[in-house]
Amino acid sequence: MVPHLVTALTGPINELEQRILESTPVIERWFRLEWMEHTPPFYSAVDVRNAGFKLAPVDTNLYPGGWNHLTPEMLPLAVQAAMAAIEKICPEAKNLLLVPENRRDISYLSNLAQLQRLFYMAGLNVRLGSLSNDIKDPTTIELPGGDKVTLEPLIRSKRRLGLKNFDPCTILLNNDLRAGVPGILEDLHEQYLLPPLHAGWATRRKSQHFKAYEEVSKRFGKLLGMDPWLINPLYNQCGEVDFAQGTGLECLRSNVDALLTKVRRKYKEYGINEKPFVVVKADDSHPGFGLLSVRDVKDLDVLVAKTQKAMVAAGGATVAPDVIIQEGVLTHERINDAVAEPVVYMMDRYVVGGFYRVHAERGEEESLSAPGARFVPLAFEKSAIMPQPGQKPGASAPNRFYMYGVIGRLAMLAASYELEATDPDAETYD
């Protein structure tokens, strides 16, 4: 199911699709060579925005939930990819410990049930070890549709982490560690911990990811002979911004103004009549700091005041440790008149599925990752790896989905660069 595109079926996005389809053998070989040199994240999910004139990732999640939104038809690809990933890491593995977030909502627990099912079919015994102090004994939760999950208390020995009568070779985190790294996960020398601790939001920064993505997009653009801006959201960054004291706001203003100027030039170059905007957000995914959408630097003071008031009312800090300013990418896709954006799911180096995140109450420049969102599956079980050459651009769902998969894999490759660059145990990537 392809949502109706508000934009005309001509212009840069279809030219980009055509270029990608014509270059499929070149692209696949390029990815293959990249994965010989770099290790993909164990799993990832990428939010993609299609503006009609530009297609770009706006967020890359290295601890993706939402696996329950993938259809059963997508599972075989995911199982095969999980097998490939596990074989590279620990071929003799028989036990997998899955460490989730401390959440009890049905959607998230259904995600855990799906992950458990997936790795079971990949040949592993899978159990869930909770970081919550409230879990002192095995706790089973029944889910709609007959699924159930059992949360168990973690047991830590000097060098290993496990459960009662369960000693895993590999520990998979489905927890982004934004609250910090618990000591129980540190100094594990005899087990594989995936993703690594430095992939969590306790240390990760969006600016590091988009710096790596900028490099990847330039190399990919050169490969295809295209402007990398068509697939890359420009960005600037600031240091600490204190909304209460007003420190850092001048840096914020100057960087917002500079980025808007850059984007306006690109819009003029391509004859785009939309009004550009940028998004201001916490570089470390700070939970108390929302997104600021800015079309003109003159509007920034009003938005900052509103943000300060909202943060204080919510009892949060008025300091965002670091701020990133990112080019805003519209989403001109619709499902039944509701704004939609594709989310691409990957395991190891493979696209395994995805869905459209749809929100009827959000605008084309707003984040759709909010209460009220619903999910419509993408038919990736066939189309993400099976483009249809010869089809007119914009007319084929497999071709559009293949293009989404390419962008998702570019973001995943950037994440591998990012993790190499920030690995505390490796040489600095330059």
Side-chain angles (χ1 to χ4, degrees):
M1 178 182 185
V2 180
H4 171 66
L5 291 177
V6 173
T7 48
L9 294 178
T10 58
I13 199 70
N14 283 343
E15 292 168 15
L16 176 62
E17 181 180 313
Q18 188 69 35
R19 184 72 57 89
I20 286 175
L21 291 172
E22 290 172 350
S23 306
T24 297
V26 174
I27 291 170
E28 296 305 325
R29 178 179 181 273
W30 184 76
F31 274 124
R32 193 162 59 246
L33 294 175
E34 286 292 323
W35 295 131
M36 290 175 67
E37 300 292 332
H38 305 282
T39 302
F42 186 83
Y43 57 3
S44 55
V46 177
D47 296 355
V48 179
R49 305 275 285 199
N50 182 352
F53 54 85
K54 178 172 186 145
L55 183 73
V58 293
D59 191 48
T60 301
N61 189 345
L62 300 182
Y63 300 85
W67 290 89
N68 51 309
H69 299 308
L70 273 60
T71 63
E73 291 81 12
M74 298 178 188
L75 278 181
L77 267 182
V79 170
Q80 288 180 326
M83 287 178 174
I86 291 294
E87 283 170 10
K88 286 195 302 187
I89 295 159
C90 186
E92 70 277 12
K94 63 178 181 178
N95 294 334
L96 177 74
L97 175 61
L98 182 59
V99 180
E101 295 182 7
N102 295 332
R103 290 170 52 186
R104 296 290 189 95
D105 58 278
I106 296 301
S107 179
Y108 181 70
L109 294 176
S110 298
N111 154 72
L112 296 179
Q114 182 82 307
L115 279 172
Q116 201 162 11
R117 183 183 300 112
L118 192 159
F119 287 109
Y120 176 82
M121 290 191 287
L124 294 166
N125 301 312
V126 188
R127 286 163 67 175
L128 304 177
S130 176
L131 290 165
S132 172
N133 294 326
D134 296 332
I135 301 295
K136 302 185 185 305
D137 297 293
T139 303
T140 300
I141 304 168
E142 302 283 343
L143 300 173
D147 277 338
K148 61 183 178 181
V149 294
T150 300
L151 301 173
E152 301 181 63
L154 291 166
I155 298 174
R156 174 66 193 254
S157 63
K158 185 177 181 181
R159 300 176 71 85
R160 298 182 73 83
L161 182 66
L163 307 173
K164 185 177 181 181
N165 301 320
F166 189 76
D167 185 29
C169 162
T170 304
I171 300 161
L172 179 62
L173 297 178
N174 197 238
N175 183 319
D176 63 15
L177 306 178
R178 71 180 59 212
V181 177
I184 199 171
L185 297 177
E186 296 180 319
D187 300 319
L188 294 171
H189 299 293
E190 297 177 352
Q191 292 169 301
Y192 294 96
L193 182 66
L194 301 167
L197 292 179
H198 67 280
W201 284 120
T203 53
R204 190 181 179 214
R205 296 294 179 266
K206 295 177 187 290
S207 56
Q208 292 166 340
H209 176 74
F210 283 103
K211 178 183 178 183
Y213 185 80
E214 184 175 54
E215 179 184 343
V216 167
S217 64
K218 285 179 179 176
R219 295 181 59 221
F220 187 78
K222 186 176 181 180
L223 181 75
L224 267 62
M226 53 167 271
D227 183 353
W229 177 77
L230 295 172
I231 58 170
N232 178 39
L234 303 176
Y235 79 97
N236 280 338
Q237 65 185 116
C238 277
E240 186 176 285
V241 177
D242 188 325
F243 292 104
Q245 301 299 322
T247 56
L249 292 180
E250 193 51 47
C251 172
L252 184 59
R253 289 187 191 95
S254 62
N255 277 280
V256 165
D257 192 39
L259 189 56
L260 281 169
T261 300
K262 283 184 185 177
V263 179
R264 286 188 193 106
R265 286 197 197 108
K266 295 305 276 187
Y267 277 31
K268 185 176 181 180
E269 178 184 342
Y270 284 94
I272 296 163
N273 293 322
E274 305 280 358
K275 188 170 183 180
F277 68 102
V278 297
V279 176
V280 180
K281 49 190 173 182
D283 204 4
D284 65 349
S285 198
H286 192 285
F289 185 80
L291 304 181
L292 295 179
S293 181
V294 185
R295 290 185 176 275
D296 193 301
V297 72
K298 291 183 293 186
D299 302 330
L300 194 57
D301 289 341
V302 175
L303 291 169
V304 165
K306 286 182 179 179
T307 299
Q308 178 187 352
K309 186 176 179 181
M311 291 173 78
V312 171
T318 56
V319 175
D322 289 291
V323 166
I324 180 172
I325 304 106
Q326 190 173 13
E327 175 188 353
V329 182
L330 299 167
T331 177
H332 270 342
E333 296 192 89
R334 301 285 189 277
I335 292 180
N336 297 328
D337 294 327
V339 177
E341 66 182 7
V343 184
V344 180
Y345 274 64
M346 289 158 290
M347 181 82 69
D348 193 58
R349 60 192 178 97
Y350 304 101
V351 174
V352 298
F355 51 78
Y356 279 104
R357 183 184 287 118
V358 184
H359 207 304
E361 297 176 5
R362 290 284 174 125
E364 61 188 14
E365 68 180 59
E366 293 182 283
S367 170
L368 306 187
S369 183
R374 61 188 182 88
F375 308 93
V376 177
L378 286 166
F380 269 163
E381 74 277 6
K382 296 178 182 177
S383 58
I385 55 173
M386 294 294 289
Q388 298 178 345
Q391 291 276 350
K392 185 178 178 181
S396 166
N399 290 349
R400 185 56 50 92
F401 294 159
Y402 175 74
M403 185 167 64
Y404 293 160
V406 168
I407 298 300
R409 285 185 288 165
L410 290 174
M412 175 173 59
L413 179 59
S416 73
Y417 284 24
E418 172 197 356
L419 293 181
E420 289 170 12
T422 57
D423 185 350
D425 298 322
E427 293 182 12
T428 302
Y429 170 75
D430 208 1

